[in-house]
PDB file of all heavy atoms in Angstrom:
ATOM      1  N   GLY A 854     124.788  -5.545-140.812  1.00  0.00           N
ATOM      2  CA  GLY A 854     124.147  -4.557-139.937  1.00  0.00           C
ATOM      3  C   GLY A 854     124.658  -4.678-138.506  1.00  0.00           C
ATOM      4  O   GLY A 854     124.905  -3.680-137.819  1.00  0.00           O
ATOM      5  N   GLU A 855     124.861  -5.902-138.067  1.00  0.00           N
ATOM      6  CA  GLU A 855     125.345  -6.142-136.707  1.00  0.00           C
ATOM      7  C   GLU A 855     126.777  -5.611-136.555  1.00  0.00           C
ATOM      8  O   GLU A 855     127.110  -4.951-135.566  1.00  0.00           O
ATOM      9  CB  GLU A 855     125.300  -7.639-136.430  1.00  0.00           C
ATOM     10  CG  GLU A 855     125.592  -7.996-134.995  1.00  0.00           C
ATOM     11  CD  GLU A 855     125.393  -9.496-134.721  1.00  0.00           C
ATOM     12  OE1 GLU A 855     125.206 -10.269-135.682  1.00  0.00           O
ATOM     13  OE2 GLU A 855     125.430  -9.860-133.544  1.00  0.00           O
ATOM     14  N   LEU A 856     127.612  -5.884-137.551  1.00  0.00           N
ATOM     15  CA  LEU A 856     129.003  -5.401-137.503  1.00  0.00           C
ATOM     16  C   LEU A 856     129.038  -3.880-137.499  1.00  0.00           C
ATOM     17  O   LEU A 856     129.819  -3.262-136.755  1.00  0.00           O
ATOM     18  CB  LEU A 856     129.798  -5.970-138.688  1.00  0.00           C
ATOM     19  CG  LEU A 856     130.179  -7.450-138.520  1.00  0.00           C
ATOM     20  CD1 LEU A 856     130.444  -8.112-139.865  1.00  0.00           C
ATOM     21  CD2 LEU A 856     131.402  -7.578-137.610  1.00  0.00           C
ATOM     22  N   ALA A 857     128.170  -3.267-138.320  1.00  0.00           N
ATOM     23  CA  ALA A 857     128.130  -1.797-138.346  1.00  0.00           C
ATOM     24  C   ALA A 857     127.684  -1.263-136.992  1.00  0.00           C
ATOM     25  O   ALA A 857     128.209  -0.259-136.493  1.00  0.00           O
ATOM     26  CB  ALA A 857     127.179  -1.320-139.451  1.00  0.00           C
ATOM     27  N   ALA A 858     126.730  -1.956-136.376  1.00  0.00           N
ATOM     28  CA  ALA A 858     126.250  -1.502-135.059  1.00  0.00           C
ATOM     29  C   ALA A 858     127.376  -1.552-134.027  1.00  0.00           C
ATOM     30  O   ALA A 858     127.457  -0.705-133.148  1.00  0.00           O
ATOM     31  CB  ALA A 858     125.077  -2.382-134.607  1.00  0.00           C
ATOM     32  N   VAL A 859     128.254  -2.557-134.157  1.00  0.00           N
ATOM     33  CA  VAL A 859     129.375  -2.672-133.201  1.00  0.00           C
ATOM     34  C   VAL A 859     130.361  -1.528-133.414  1.00  0.00           C
ATOM     35  O   VAL A 859     130.741  -0.841-132.461  1.00  0.00           O
ATOM     36  CB  VAL A 859     130.088  -4.039-133.358  1.00  0.00           C
ATOM     37  CG1 VAL A 859     131.379  -4.073-132.537  1.00  0.00           C
ATOM     38  CG2 VAL A 859     129.161  -5.169-132.925  1.00  0.00           C
ATOM     39  N   VAL A 860     130.799  -1.326-134.661  1.00  0.00           N
ATOM     40  CA  VAL A 860     131.882  -0.338-134.864  1.00  0.00           C
ATOM     41  C   VAL A 860     131.363   1.104-134.812  1.00  0.00           C
ATOM     42  O   VAL A 860     132.126   2.018-134.512  1.00  0.00           O
ATOM     43  CB  VAL A 860     132.665  -0.574-136.181  1.00  0.00           C
ATOM     44  CG1 VAL A 860     133.299  -1.941-136.178  1.00  0.00           C
ATOM     45  CG2 VAL A 860     131.800  -0.373-137.414  1.00  0.00           C
ATOM     46  N   ASP A 861     130.071   1.319-135.104  1.00  0.00           N
ATOM     47  CA  ASP A 861     129.538   2.689-135.100  1.00  0.00           C
ATOM     48  C   ASP A 861     129.095   3.152-133.718  1.00  0.00           C
ATOM     49  O   ASP A 861     128.760   4.316-133.537  1.00  0.00           O
ATOM     50  CB  ASP A 861     128.332   2.806-136.052  1.00  0.00           C
ATOM     51  CG  ASP A 861     128.765   2.694-137.506  1.00  0.00           C
ATOM     52  OD1 ASP A 861     129.979   2.809-137.757  1.00  0.00           O
ATOM     53  OD2 ASP A 861     127.886   2.464-138.364  1.00  0.00           O
ATOM     54  N   SER A 862     129.044   2.237-132.773  1.00  0.00           N
ATOM     55  CA  SER A 862     128.525   2.597-131.458  1.00  0.00           C
ATOM     56  C   SER A 862     129.621   2.414-130.410  1.00  0.00           C
ATOM     57  O   SER A 862     130.261   1.356-130.348  1.00  0.00           O
ATOM     58  CB  SER A 862     127.318   1.689-131.153  1.00  0.00           C
ATOM     59  OG  SER A 862     127.285   1.352-129.800  1.00  0.00           O
ATOM     60  N   THR A 863     129.805   3.420-129.567  1.00  0.00           N
ATOM     61  CA  THR A 863     130.800   3.284-128.495  1.00  0.00           C
ATOM     62  C   THR A 863     130.384   2.168-127.549  1.00  0.00           C
ATOM     63  O   THR A 863     131.220   1.389-127.079  1.00  0.00           O
ATOM     64  CB  THR A 863     130.925   4.619-127.725  1.00  0.00           C
ATOM     65  OG1 THR A 863     131.218   5.638-128.671  1.00  0.00           O
ATOM     66  CG2 THR A 863     132.036   4.555-126.689  1.00  0.00           C
ATOM     67  N   ALA A 864     129.082   2.052-127.294  1.00  0.00           N
ATOM     68  CA  ALA A 864     128.616   0.989-126.398  1.00  0.00           C
ATOM     69  C   ALA A 864     128.926  -0.385-127.007  1.00  0.00           C
ATOM     70  O   ALA A 864     129.424  -1.288-126.321  1.00  0.00           O
ATOM     71  CB  ALA A 864     127.114   1.128-126.148  1.00  0.00           C
ATOM     72  N   GLY A 865     128.653  -0.535-128.319  1.00  0.00           N
ATOM     73  CA  GLY A 865     128.905  -1.819-128.987  1.00  0.00           C
ATOM     74  C   GLY A 865     130.383  -2.160-128.981  1.00  0.00           C
ATOM     75  O   GLY A 865     130.785  -3.290-128.654  1.00  0.00           O
ATOM     76  N   SER A 866     131.235  -1.204-129.342  1.00  0.00           N
ATOM     77  CA  SER A 866     132.685  -1.465-129.384  1.00  0.00           C
ATOM     78  C   SER A 866     133.218  -1.740-127.989  1.00  0.00           C
ATOM     79  O   SER A 866     134.134  -2.540-127.807  1.00  0.00           O
ATOM     80  CB  SER A 866     133.462  -0.266-129.926  1.00  0.00           C
ATOM     81  OG  SER A 866     132.870   0.233-131.061  1.00  0.00           O
ATOM     82  N   THR A 867     132.637  -1.051-126.986  1.00  0.00           N
ATOM     83  CA  THR A 867     133.137  -1.229-125.621  1.00  0.00           C
ATOM     84  C   THR A 867     132.821  -2.630-125.124  1.00  0.00           C
ATOM     85  O   THR A 867     133.630  -3.268-124.456  1.00  0.00           O
ATOM     86  CB  THR A 867     132.528  -0.167-124.681  1.00  0.00           C
ATOM     87  OG1 THR A 867     132.824   1.114-125.209  1.00  0.00           O
ATOM     88  CG2 THR A 867     133.107  -0.269-123.281  1.00  0.00           C
ATOM     89  N   TYR A 868     131.629  -3.140-125.476  1.00  0.00           N
ATOM     90  CA  TYR A 868     131.305  -4.512-125.089  1.00  0.00           C
ATOM     91  C   TYR A 868     132.352  -5.473-125.663  1.00  0.00           C
ATOM     92  O   TYR A 868     132.904  -6.326-124.955  1.00  0.00           O
ATOM     93  CB  TYR A 868     129.895  -4.924-125.556  1.00  0.00           C
ATOM     94  CG  TYR A 868     129.719  -6.414-125.399  1.00  0.00           C
ATOM     95  CD1 TYR A 868     129.628  -6.965-124.123  1.00  0.00           C
ATOM     96  CD2 TYR A 868     129.758  -7.274-126.493  1.00  0.00           C
ATOM     97  CE1 TYR A 868     129.555  -8.342-123.951  1.00  0.00           C
ATOM     98  CE2 TYR A 868     129.695  -8.642-126.330  1.00  0.00           C
ATOM     99  CZ  TYR A 868     129.589  -9.170-125.063  1.00  0.00           C
ATOM    100  OH  TYR A 868     129.547 -10.524-124.888  1.00  0.00           O
ATOM    101  N   LEU A 869     132.663  -5.299-126.971  1.00  0.00           N
ATOM    102  CA  LEU A 869     133.640  -6.192-127.596  1.00  0.00           C
ATOM    103  C   LEU A 869     135.007  -6.051-126.912  1.00  0.00           C
ATOM    104  O   LEU A 869     135.671  -7.051-126.591  1.00  0.00           O
ATOM    105  CB  LEU A 869     133.753  -5.878-129.097  1.00  0.00           C
ATOM    106  CG  LEU A 869     134.481  -6.925-129.935  1.00  0.00           C
ATOM    107  CD1 LEU A 869     134.005  -6.866-131.384  1.00  0.00           C
ATOM    108  CD2 LEU A 869     135.992  -6.792-129.902  1.00  0.00           C
ATOM    109  N   ALA A 870     135.407  -4.796-126.649  1.00  0.00           N
ATOM    110  CA  ALA A 870     136.733  -4.558-126.049  1.00  0.00           C
ATOM    111  C   ALA A 870     136.821  -5.150-124.641  1.00  0.00           C
ATOM    112  O   ALA A 870     137.829  -5.765-124.279  1.00  0.00           O
ATOM    113  CB  ALA A 870     137.019  -3.058-126.017  1.00  0.00           C
ATOM    114  N   GLU A 871     135.760  -4.986-123.856  1.00  0.00           N
ATOM    115  CA  GLU A 871     135.762  -5.545-122.490  1.00  0.00           C
ATOM    116  C   GLU A 871     135.906  -7.070-122.523  1.00  0.00           C
ATOM    117  O   GLU A 871     136.684  -7.648-121.769  1.00  0.00           O
ATOM    118  CB  GLU A 871     134.432  -5.238-121.778  1.00  0.00           C
ATOM    119  CG  GLU A 871     134.391  -3.896-121.125  1.00  0.00           C
ATOM    120  CD  GLU A 871     133.055  -3.648-120.432  1.00  0.00           C
ATOM    121  OE1 GLU A 871     132.100  -4.441-120.623  1.00  0.00           O
ATOM    122  OE2 GLU A 871     132.972  -2.643-119.719  1.00  0.00           O
ATOM    123  N   ALA A 872     135.133  -7.683-123.408  1.00  0.00           N
ATOM    124  CA  ALA A 872     135.145  -9.149-123.458  1.00  0.00           C
ATOM    125  C   ALA A 872     136.466  -9.654-124.029  1.00  0.00           C
ATOM    126  O   ALA A 872     137.061 -10.605-123.515  1.00  0.00           O
ATOM    127  CB  ALA A 872     133.970  -9.632-124.299  1.00  0.00           C
ATOM    128  N   TYR A 873     136.951  -9.027-125.085  1.00  0.00           N
ATOM    129  CA  TYR A 873     138.174  -9.519-125.739  1.00  0.00           C
ATOM    130  C   TYR A 873     139.367  -9.399-124.798  1.00  0.00           C
ATOM    131  O   TYR A 873     140.221 -10.275-124.731  1.00  0.00           O
ATOM    132  CB  TYR A 873     138.434  -8.735-127.030  1.00  0.00           C
ATOM    133  CG  TYR A 873     139.349  -9.448-127.998  1.00  0.00           C
ATOM    134  CD1 TYR A 873     138.834 -10.192-129.053  1.00  0.00           C
ATOM    135  CD2 TYR A 873     140.737  -9.386-127.856  1.00  0.00           C
ATOM    136  CE1 TYR A 873     139.667 -10.852-129.944  1.00  0.00           C
ATOM    137  CE2 TYR A 873     141.579 -10.044-128.739  1.00  0.00           C
ATOM    138  CZ  TYR A 873     141.038 -10.769-129.779  1.00  0.00           C
ATOM    139  OH  TYR A 873     141.861 -11.439-130.664  1.00  0.00           O
TER     140      TYR A 873
END
Side-chain angles (χ1 to χ4, degrees):
E855 188 174 10
L856 284 157
V859 171
V860 300
D861 290 345
S862 143
T863 305
S866 314
T867 304
Y868 168 70
L869 194 154
E871 275 180 350
Y873 200 97

